[in-house]
Amino acid sequence: MPATIDFYLARVAQCDKEAQETNLANVKERCLRSKAAWQIMSDRALLVQIDRKRQALDKMRKKDEHLD
């Protein structure tokens, strides 16, 4: 997993921890919004990684087809 996705997931965990530890409603809401935003960024980065791997596999398959 690339460092970027690890970074995003670490932020998700940190925001979740902070949300659970606070008693202040506005701080909890802010932490949960931040958690959601980091999770979206992580999900998108993972989708990009999957798509790049899929494209590389397709490229290799096409190359193999031409060699046959």
Side-chain angles (χ1 to χ4, degrees):
M1 192 177 312
T4 303
I5 295 172
D6 289 338
F7 175 79
Y8 293 156
L9 292 175
R11 301 290 69 78
V12 168
Q14 182 65 33
C15 290
D16 187 51
K17 181 179 180 242
E18 290 174 7
Q20 291 177 15
E21 290 175 349
T22 188
N23 293 325
L24 302 173
N26 60 333
V27 174
K28 184 178 291 280
E29 289 174 26
R30 184 194 70 214
C31 291
L32 293 175
R33 282 193 313 270
S34 295
K35 176 185 172 184
W38 286 114
Q39 186 64 57
I40 289 168
M41 287 185 269
S42 173
D43 294 346
R44 286 181 183 165
L46 186 57
L47 288 174
V48 167
Q49 180 185 7
I50 290 168
D51 191 49
R52 285 182 181 156
K53 286 183 180 182
R54 184 178 300 128
Q55 287 176 1
L57 283 171
D58 288 345
K59 193 174 188 178
M60 287 181 3
R61 284 186 188 128
K62 288 179 183 178
K63 195 174 189 179
D64 286 345
E65 288 173 4
H66 291 311
L67 294 175
D68 289 337

